[in-house]
Amino acid sequence: MGDNEITLENFKQWTKDCGVKRVQIKYEELARDAKAKGRTLQEEMKAQGFKDFNAFSKQCERFSTACWPLEFKELGSGYVLYFQYMWFLMGICFLMLGLQAPAMALYAQNSDLGDWEWHDWQKAFSTDNSACKCVGGSGFGATCGSWDYDRCPSSTNCSVSKPGQWLCHRWCYAGELCPTTKVGDSAGLNVRMTSGTVKAYSSCQQDDKLITECKNDEFRSADISYAESDVLLQGKATFIGTQFLSPGNLGPDESQNALIPVLYLVCVAVLCGGILLAYSSQVITDHKVDLGSTSPNDFAIMVKGLPVTATDEEEIMEFFSKHAVPGKENTEIVKVVIGWDVDEFRENMRQLKTLSDQLHEREDQKDEKSMEIKQALVKITQALKSAGSKDTKLKSSGVVVVTFRYQADLRACLNRWRSFWARWFYADAGDLCGLPLCMGPELARYPIGGRPIAKLSVTRAPNPGDINWTELAVPLRERLKQFLYTNGVMALLVMVCFGAVYGLREVQEIASGKRGGLDTSENETAGSTGPWPGIGAGLVVAIVNALLMFAAKYLGEKEYHDTLTEQEFSQALKMSIGMIVNTGGVILFMYTRPAEWYMSEGLVQNVFTVLVINAIIPPLIPYIDFGYRMRYWKRRSLTQARLEEMNETKKSLKDAKSQEAKDLMREIEGFKRAFAPSRMNMLRRYAQSLKVFVCCLLYMPVLPLLSLVGLVGLAMQYWMDKYLLLHWQQRPLKPASADMANMSVRFIKFTCPLGLSVAFYGFLTPSYYDKNLVLSSFLLSLAVGAIFSFAFPLSVWVRCWLSLPCNATSFLGEREGDYYQAQYMWSKEMKYHKDQFIYKRLPDDKNPEMLQPGKVAAMKIEDAKECYGASVVAAAAEAADGAEPPIALKSGRVFGAGHSLGSAGGGTSGGSGAPPVTYGAVSVEVAGEDGGGPKDDERSDAPLMDSGAVPASVAMPVSSGPSSSAPGGSSIGRPKVVWEYEVRDGYTAFHDDCQKYMEQRYQDFVGSGGNPRCNVKTQGKKVSIDFEKMTSKVDDSHKIRKIKRRETE
């Protein structure tokens, strides 16, 4: 158990040591030193003065807050892309702010907010002018006439104070809802009267002869509107100030400016372009992060739709060997991993995990409640033990992972089974003029009882560790039932929160004596409440949003998903939609009439207050780290007496596997969690950013300044998240994939272009006299948004974009890897046949880690039955175990958290083995001890995350052991490398006279940071090579060609 004493300082040091550090770079340097000196990693680590990986990781430096996101790529492309995604959101907000500047300048020149008090909301989107119909009847002004003509027949006989051309205009009295549109000559503008009517000039046909008469009379020639003492100068309602720069400043039904709708059409187009650039940039960045590395899913597909009787791996391998790749009936399949059905134990395992979490959170592990939880754990574990029997009727889930030998075969398979014709018609793509533009023959069906019946669905497989093996077999009906249940509950919670916030706002308005900005109180000062109601509502919305986030996470865990990434995105989507509805939907529901948008404490003012609060405050909350604060009392409970008791227990232990030892380990793990800061919650960060961005974007047409609010809020979130990740929070357990960032951009793609189109049409139209000016721009933007969002997937748009000549330097070359070589890059846990909970319990002679060409690796169903029960129990034990999950470096191995009793705070692992790194690693050749293959905890794999592509050939460990030998005992040599350049119909190889030199210069570049450019002479020509851009250029030629590096047998 170790001789080191457990001290309080160990745990305090753990608070610092569990953070994010530059481990990957230092680890690569260590691996290179080991290679140069012919040592194992462990030997080199000790030679440099480090006892184990814990001591090594302590001396690693932290990242600078100002570093580029690509610098911490060792955390996985997911973290790099999250911050790049935040830049995309901020960039869109900045562009929108700039594009709306002319509109805001125009709004600043107008101040007709008061006219909204008499706006007829039912005619907001109509050109109907019936509201200005004459009141009719008899009497002065009842019908159209030149009623003011006789009031000023001469300059000496005039009864009005400001005579003008209006004296010769025809008019009549109309109802109070007739808009006082400021369109046309000033003399003919409608005027609101103190009597509650409108002096409507627009309702009457004018007498041009009479108007000309006034123009010719000097005393009546002024082009001014009626402005006598009976004109109503101000209504009862109070409105926001013109400083909000909203379209309300234009007044209702008054604007004829065609520029503003066109500006928002441009905004929609820019948004679509920004989404395309963001997604293509994410694809390229993801490629750069993984450049020179290979992941397990570069060779694997996930197949769904197989019958439950498909339990023979060899039959499945044979089927895909014949039908995976078109025109090839002997495709090399390395391994098939079946997702076995564990339906009868799935809920038990979920309960076990829930109870285990509850037990870990309890401070006193020996109180009555803790003992009840332990008894429940024992009961469930005993039930699971009944699984083991050779008579167990194992069924397939209908889902398998098929691993190919060559990446080229994987791509060909996906091209065939993921084509348009395959997905929609289950058919091959036909050949029309050399293009797959027509439907071909039907794809092969998997046989049931010798007859081809089952249609299959093929996708690229997730990486090991991301697959929920126990949930693959959940029937569609049950999945749908649980999906409807969780989303129904979430919808109900959103409605309840919606009603609560709405009710609170109603109570505030009634208490303040206002309703929609209209003072309903008799007391003159009763309606003056200041900004506090809006601030209060904003804080309530923020609190309710926090509750919705917790609810979304809880409900998302209740659903069934094939992968952890799908589960996480489902949670993030629930959070985002719930918060968007709660933040933006409540206010719009409360103030639906255009007049209420611009009234004091109406839509604009409340949206501004709520979004400022919800954009500024939530990014600051992670800084408080409530989780760490809530564990304060747990930390306080680690007294000196408690430490002495733990040390005494440790000294008395004789068996590390005893229950007493396990209890002590669980206790230490509990205190390590108490002293550890929280980890970055990517779900909440994505949900928060989507909420701010979408709400600001959709309300931007009614309040352009929200672009600035969104920009500031997102910038605060970016810097706060980056600072906390790099300087406070725990290191992530595993490298994050690009999926969350890609899914978030897709969500924006499907919602925001059309949403912005509808928003600007809805918010601008009531301010326009000619509604068609807005309608025409709206229809165009709707067409642009619909085509971009739904006509083609983003992958198609990105492929078209990257194929343009201007993007030649962004070319993403394809690797030509071989699984039998690449497998040495990954730790055991990062192989599919060592990740599935039944397979990994099989002995090595039946399920070896390292697979060999020419040797069948299929598992027999009898072997699966034999260890089925033990596998289920072991999986349950892992679920109930209190140990911290293993930490993963980017690129090759994972290393367990362990229970280092003697150095509880000293690191992540108590062992001295080399830290395993996750998938994607490339390795350095370091010989194993005794001339044999390295042991599992002493393998010489090491990541080399250089800027260039590191070939798989350098990943092969030099070993004569059986795990690295080809059939017949000969070592697997390095594959031959061929350099090729682009020609019209593909690629062709450089001449043999330069191949060796190019490879040598390339290795200098990727291995030691040599010059990325070099000149080679081939067949009498001088060619300039750029390994960084993977391009070539012949002297005296202006054509730049792409190059690629291909590995062959």
Side-chain angles (χ1 to χ4, degrees), residues 359-421:
L359 182 62
H360 297 156
E361 292 171 0
R362 297 195 63 79
E363 180 179 336
D364 188 353
Q365 297 282 314
K366 299 180 180 179
D367 63 3
E368 183 178 352
K369 181 64 176 177
S370 297
M371 297 306 294
E372 290 179 3
I373 295 175
K374 289 180 179 180
Q375 290 175 3
L377 288 170
V378 171
K379 184 177 180 181
I380 295 174
T381 303
Q382 289 176 344
L384 289 171
K385 284 182 179 179
S386 64
S389 165
K390 286 193 177 183
D391 296 329
T392 300
K393 294 181 180 180
L394 275 181
K395 296 184 300 181
S396 169
S397 63
V399 181
V400 301
V401 173
V402 179
T403 303
F404 295 88
R405 177 173 181 176
Y406 299 109
Q407 286 178 279
D409 289 337
L410 171 84
R411 291 193 295 271
C413 175
L414 291 176
N415 288 339
R416 181 182 202 180
W417 290 82
R418 296 298 298 165
S419 69
F420 169 82
W421 301 108

Side-chain angles (χ1 to χ4, degrees), residues 832-850:
Y832 293 104
H833 61 288
K834 291 295 184 179
D835 180 49
Q836 207 275 344
F837 72 95
I838 292 180
Y839 283 80
K840 68 180 179 181
R841 306 295 170 188
L842 290 169
D844 286 342
D845 61 330
K846 295 181 179 179
N847 186 37
E849 177 189 353
M850 297 300 169

